[in-house]
Amino acid sequence: MNIKRAKEEIKNTIGAYLLKDKYGAYEIPPVRQRPVLLMGPPGIGKTQIMEQISQECRIALVSYTITHHTRQSAIGLPFIQDRIYDSRRYSVTEYTMSEIVASIYDKIAETGLQEGILFIDEINCVSETLAPTMLQFLQCKTFGNHRIPQGWIIVAAGNPPEYNKSVREFDIVTLDRIKMIPVEADYGVWKEYAQQVNIHPAVISYLDVKQQNFCRIETTVDGKFFATPRGWEDLSRLMEVYEKLHMTVDREVVFQYIQYPAIARDFANYLELYYKYQQDYQIDEILGGKVREGIYHKLEKAPFDERLSVMSLILAALNRGFRETAEKEDRMERLLKIFRRLKPKSQQADTQPVSGGDQSDYGSAAEYLEGLTAGMQAERKYKQESGILSRREDQLYRDVSGILERTLQAVKADHRATEEQVWEKVSEIFEEENRGYEALFDQCAAGLEYAFDFMEAAFGGGQEMVVFVTGLNTGLYSLRFLQEYRCERYFRYNKELLFDDQEKEILKQMERL
């Protein structure tokens, strides 16, 4: 299965394992809660989805790469303990608590989260001395003499033997005690993720055409050559920062991440052209309604890959705006919930009461805002330390806290202000934020219309338009924007494309008869 389905399956497993009956006991007893084992090629996201699952399920995560451990660090160090058996004293070997088990209790103490995931990576690549310990761990949920706490679900990951010579095969006794989830690379699923986390558009547009280069791992007489999803994502992050620093991503840089010479060389060549097209066509001008003289003629003579690159550049520029619009909208919604509590009671007669108290619970408006700001900062810190704070949520916390700080300073500037005057100041700040959101929304709407103008003039209803509309259909932020803004041409072309797809499917079925 692909990594998206694997993630869904693990979340379902967590939901089942952590479900309790009316007496507080787990519906599936811990002894029957099989460890989950993800098996698949390196770099396809097995480790990364564990962080996402932890954040989305709001449970703790303790992660270890077991190949970094020795038998002693995994099961603990031996010591001699006196015991009485049958009225006689004996010296018995016991073990200190495993570092891994101790880290679970440390995480519980730090976060207060009693339930979580213990993730063990590269579990089938351990040393010979540690291999029996790993089998015991999977079969009995113990490290040495110490059991994994109840409420903690074991998830492990490993690579098939074709990708790692040091892999050890599990016996049937062990395999019969785990929940096996085989995972394969899937570009379509990765592209959904890539659009959510803002992978560089050059990487996406390249892999759209060269999907066979998305995940390739080969061992030849000349060595090991590989290109993995992890490599593409890490390269994308570097490209993003290099562009901010006005630094060049050349072939040598690409080779550092994509260690498959032919693929790295091909992408480096593509990237040079991508940056050239970005300069030649001036996409921002196109989305502003200005098309330089000769552009349409140039595109008419251009090869298909150049035309596709220009279309990808337009989509990338639009998606940046759609993403920023979505982030501003989320910020506005959060602010609206907060600021509504500052509304004077005299003006609340026609509004629904807001749960969570109002400013009177805190004394003055300034005290309320101060307490709320401190509370948001504390909540952010707690989530960050617990490992359940995503990067986007963290940015939202920071943005809203910044606006609250600014509002607090405005309220404090006039400590004699009445309740109504405080509301006026708060309303001014909210309206200022709202105007910024509306201006950005209108700019994105105009850019989308200009993009269709350009696409129609340059490509008509050709395959480039098909790719363009398909790109809008598969983008998380573009779809969200199009739910708010009705773009007639988008819906018209989308309807035509869907009809064409249905017609092709009917013809295929007729051919089978």
Side-chain angles (χ1 to χ4, degrees), residues 32-43:
R32 293 299 178 194
Q33 294 180 5
R34 291 191 173 198
V36 177
L37 179 59
L38 293 170
M39 292 293 291

Side-chain angles (χ1 to χ4, degrees), residues 274-476:
Y274 184 88
Y275 286 133
K276 180 180 181 298
Y277 300 150
Q278 196 171 45
Q279 182 66 32
D280 290 350
Y281 288 94
Q282 293 296 311
I283 302 302
D284 289 340
E285 291 184 2
I286 291 174
L287 297 184
K290 299 177 182 178
V291 181
R292 294 184 178 184
E293 187 177 352
I295 290 295
Y296 293 129
H297 180 71
K298 178 179 173 64
L299 273 175
E300 186 180 352
K301 302 294 184 182
F304 179 70
D305 60 347
E306 181 173 340
R307 294 154 70 94
L308 195 62
S309 294
V310 172
M311 183 277 304
S312 297
L313 284 165
I314 292 173
L315 267 178
L318 287 172
N319 281 323
R320 282 195 298 270
F322 296 151
R323 182 187 180 93
E324 189 177 350
T325 302
E327 290 170 350
K328 279 186 177 291
E329 185 179 18
D330 290 342
R331 190 159 66 237
M332 293 297 297
E333 289 178 359
R334 184 73 64 93
L335 284 172
L336 183 61
K337 291 179 181 178
I338 295 169
F339 284 164
R340 281 180 62 192
R341 299 178 185 179
L342 286 167
K343 194 171 186 178
K345 292 181 179 178
S346 61
Q347 301 182 30
Q348 292 184 14
D350 58 343
T351 61
Q352 296 274 342
V354 180
S355 61
D358 54 32
Q359 74 182 62
S360 61
D361 298 325
Y362 298 87
S364 70
E367 290 173 345
Y368 166 73
L369 284 170
E370 200 162 20
L372 186 58
T373 303
M376 286 194 66
Q377 292 171 347
E379 184 179 351
R380 173 182 169 270
K381 183 179 179 182
Y382 166 75
K383 287 185 175 182
Q384 190 175 45
E385 292 176 349
S386 302
I388 58 175
L389 183 66
S390 67
R391 184 178 179 182
R392 185 166 181 232
E393 189 179 11
D394 183 41
Q395 189 65 52
L396 181 60
Y397 269 108
R398 290 172 178 268
D399 289 344
V400 173
S401 294
I403 297 172
L404 289 179
E405 289 278 5
R406 183 157 59 89
T407 307
L408 178 61
Q409 296 306 315
V411 171
K412 280 185 172 181
D414 187 1
H415 62 279
R416 295 182 181 180
T418 64
E419 193 178 53
E420 284 73 14
Q421 288 171 330
V422 168
W423 174 246
E424 287 179 7
K425 291 180 183 293
V426 170
S427 298
E428 287 175 6
I429 291 174
F430 182 81
E431 283 303 317
E432 180 185 340
E433 292 294 323
N434 192 47
R435 283 193 297 271
Y437 164 73
E438 290 179 348
L440 180 60
F441 186 93
D442 291 343
Q443 181 182 340
C444 288
L448 181 59
E449 296 294 349
Y450 285 132
F452 270 109
D453 289 343
F454 178 81
M455 293 293 295
E456 287 176 338
F459 308 119
Q463 52 190 336
E464 293 86 357
M465 182 66 82
V466 175
V467 176
F468 178 70
V469 176
T470 301
L472 292 174
N473 280 337
T474 57
L476 174 69

Side-chain angles (χ1 to χ4, degrees), residues 202-203 206 210 213 232 235 239 248-256 258 260-276:
V203 173
Y206 171 77
K210 303 288 183 72
N213 293 342
W232 289 115
L235 175 60
M239 290 166 59
T248 303
V249 180
D250 58 17
R251 294 188 181 190
E252 297 302 322
V253 175
V254 175
F255 284 5
Q256 294 163 17
I258 308 301
Y260 196 117
I263 296 175
R265 204 162 34 243
D266 191 41
F267 178 69
N269 292 336
Y270 173 83
L271 192 59
E272 287 182 14
L273 290 173
Y274 184 88
Y275 286 133
K276 180 180 181 298

